[in-house]
Every structure is written in structure tokens, then in C-alpha cells.
Amino acid sequence: MTDLDAAVNEIADEMRRRPDRGEVAAYIPELARVDPGAFGLVVIAADGHVAAAGDCDTPFSIQSISKVFTLTLALGMVGDRLWRRVGREPSGSPFNSIVQLERERGVPRNPFINAGAIAVTDLILSGHQPREALGEILRFMQFLARDASITIDEAVAASEQRTGFRNIALANYMKSFGVVDNPVDYTLGVYFHHCAISMSCRQLATAGRFLAHSGRDPETGLSVVQVERARRINAVMLTCGHYDGSGEFAYRVGLPGKSGVGGGILAVAPGRGSIAVWSPGLDASGNSHLGRAALERLTKRLGWSIFGL
């Protein structure tokens, strides 16, 4: 057993025993049914070694983690023109807030809050039918994870469509300012479905490897994005990836990361490895409570914080 294996197993054992697990995302009915006792952790090191523990192969709804991959796709389609539609600044507000959107004339603060991700989804949809756009997103995820079995959880998508009234409000508000081009129902349909993609920690850590290795898949050597673009995606993940808890995550964990209300977190240690953790209970900001705690332990033990030891 390597030091990495030992660290991952010990942290997973500690997290499984902890009683403070946060609260599952009950506002999405399907997510309210998830076992709050679940915990999975996978680290894929630069040399390809996989350290895994807990419920690491159990699929879960990645939710807002999908926004990392839709951002990557949209940048590949239109480049820096994307930033005319959405900003790059931390919001300091809850992920579904409409207050800032009103103040800033419909332009979302960043691509990881819900409004920003809806605007990015609308851009991907332009010139396509919703089914085509969604297929492109799903195929991209399958390609990065090297796993064609990755699917969309239709029950979760339907649950979000039935209850996503705030997202409907955000999309309509942006439509009134011309930030959303396509029919709101089409854009939201694609958005709800890509958030409902279901992946395991192992699949998610594999999909995120290109961001840990300057935009390349380290096994195949294929370039997914340019070096500079990978660096910039990581920068937005660091500053905006955990909503109004992004500063706390950077302070405690010290890595670029993106959370989802399904309880997952994808984290990137540049040049060292990619990490995926899943624990469904959330903190007050909508981020995995034990997921962040596990990553804090991991980066301290391995010395992987981008800010030094």
C-alpha cells in the first residue's frame, strides 16, 4: 500500500465514523432520498495510480459539477467571447440568488452560479436542438471519463424540472435582458438534464484529470484544452467553485474545486492529481460538509495545497 492509498483509506474511515454529516438537498425531491451515510473518495495521481475508498463506484447526481465541463465546451466553441455573457468574479451570494442579477442588468457574476451556468448552457444550445446539445455534453463527459456507460438520471432531471421555479425565474430574467437567446424552456431543459448526469467518484476523478495536467489527458497525451485555458478554468474554480463558500474552501483546502448539491466535489491539484469525493450531506452554502473536511485532511497530509505546505 502506498502513502497515497493509506491516506485515502484512513480519511475515508474517519469520515464514515463522523456523526456531523450535514443535510441532504431536500428541495430536489429525488436527492432527498439519497443515503446521508454514503461516502466515497478517489485520488488519481499524476502517474495514473488510483487510490480509492468507500462508496467510490456508486453513481450520484453530479449537479453543478457539470458546470466545469459545460464551461470547457462553451470556451471551445466561442473562446473568450463567452465572457461577454457571463463574468468571472465571485458572487458572495447563494447559488440561486436573483439579487445580483437585477443589479447587473441580467449578466451573471460567474459561470458556476445557476444563472451563469444557464447562460453558458444557452450558448451551447445555440444552433442545435436541445437533444443534440445535451448529447454533445454527455458525450464529452463520457470521452473524458473514458466510460460510455455514464448516463443522465431521468428521475432527477424530471424532479428538477417540476420544482426548479427559481431557475425558471433566473432564466426568464436573463431573457428579458437578451442574455439568453433560445426559448427558455429549451435552455432549461438542457440545463436540468446535464445537472442530472450520474457519475461515480472514480469516473469523475478521471474526467477531471485534464485540468490537473495543463489541459492534457496524461495517459493518452491528447490535448483537451490549451494550457492557458486549463489554468483559467482552474482559477475560476478556485474563486467561484463553491458559491458563497468559495473563500472558506480555498482557505481550508487550497485547491481549485467545484461542488454540487448532490454532495460531490471535484478538486484539482495541478501537476499532482485529480480528486473526487462524495458525501450527500451539505453545509449552509450547499457544499458537501464531509467532502470539504476530507479534502482539507488530504491536502494537509499530502502537502498538495497550491498555497504551499
Side-chain angles (χ1 to χ4, degrees):
M1 180 180 288
T2 68
D3 289 344
L4 180 58
D5 289 310
V8 166
N9 279 286
E10 287 169 20
I11 290 167
D13 286 342
E14 178 191 348
M15 295 300 137
R16 274 195 294 262
R17 292 194 300 269
R18 280 181 58 159
D20 55 320
R21 309 197 73 84
E23 302 291 332
V24 297
Y27 67 92
I28 299 175
E30 282 297 315
L31 297 186
R33 303 178 184 180
V34 178
D35 177 12
F39 181 89
L41 176 61
V42 170
V43 181
I44 306 181
D47 64 1
H49 179 74
V50 179
D55 302 302
C56 56
D57 291 308
T58 301
F60 61 91
S61 184
I62 66 170
Q63 292 293 308
S64 288
I65 302 172
S66 68
K67 298 171 185 177
V68 173
F69 303 100
T70 52
L71 173 62
T72 304
L73 266 179
L75 285 169
M77 292 169 65
V78 301
D80 286 345
R81 285 192 290 126
L82 171 75
W83 305 118
R84 298 175 191 170
R85 288 214 200 184
V86 61
R88 300 188 294 267
E89 295 295 330
S91 67
S93 299
F95 56 85
N96 56 3
S97 173
I98 200 170
V99 175
Q100 249 168 7
L101 205 57
E102 183 173 12
R103 234 180 6 245
E104 296 171 4
R105 300 188 59 78
V107 177
R109 186 66 69 89
N110 66 68
F112 293 152
I113 55 174
N114 289 14
I118 291 168
V120 170
T121 300
D122 184 71
L123 192 152
I124 294 172
L125 176 59
S126 294
H128 299 82
Q129 291 298 312
R131 189 176 295 276
E132 294 170 343
L134 188 59
E136 187 169 352
I137 294 166
L138 184 59
R139 284 191 298 273
F140 185 52
M141 300 292 294
Q142 293 170 337
F143 164 74
L144 292 174
R146 294 194 288 277
D147 193 336
S149 71
I150 293 168
T151 59
I152 294 165
D153 188 325
E154 292 291 347
V156 173
S159 184
E160 292 195 63
Q161 284 185 301
R162 285 194 307 270
T163 60
F165 302 113
R166 291 193 188 184
N167 288 322
I168 294 168
L170 292 170
N172 278 293
Y173 197 76
M174 288 189 291
K175 180 76 170 176
S176 74
F177 282 101
V179 175
V180 167
D181 289 334
N182 296 286
V184 166
D185 287 351
Y186 287 8
T187 298
L188 284 173
V190 176
Y191 173 76
F192 289 136
H193 278 78
H194 75 65
C195 286
I197 289 172
S198 184
M199 297 175 73
S200 68
C201 289
R202 193 184 302 270
Q203 292 167 330
L204 189 57
T206 303
R209 291 191 78 192
F210 77 99
L211 291 172
H213 301 286
S214 302
R216 287 184 308 103
D217 181 324
E219 287 195 19
T220 65
L222 292 174
S223 176
V224 178
V225 296
Q226 296 172 339
V227 174
E228 183 179 17
R229 183 160 292 165
R231 179 175 62 81
R232 288 179 168 174
I233 293 169
N234 284 340
V236 180
M237 288 172 70
L238 179 70
T239 58
C240 307
H242 288 75
Y243 315 119
D244 48 332
S246 296
E248 187 73 5
F249 187 85
Y251 179 82
R252 293 189 176 278
V253 177
L255 294 178
K258 183 72 198 82
S259 66
V261 296
I265 301 175
L266 171 66
V268 174
R272 290 170 165 166
S274 61
I275 310 161
V277 61
W278 173 53
S279 179
L282 309 178
D283 62 21
S285 297
N287 305 309
S288 175
H289 176 63
L290 291 187
R292 191 195 72 185
L295 290 169
E296 183 177 2
R297 297 277 195 285
L298 189 73
T299 54
K300 282 183 178 178
R301 179 155 174 177
L302 300 178
W304 276 12
S305 169
I306 63 172
F307 302 112
L309 298 175

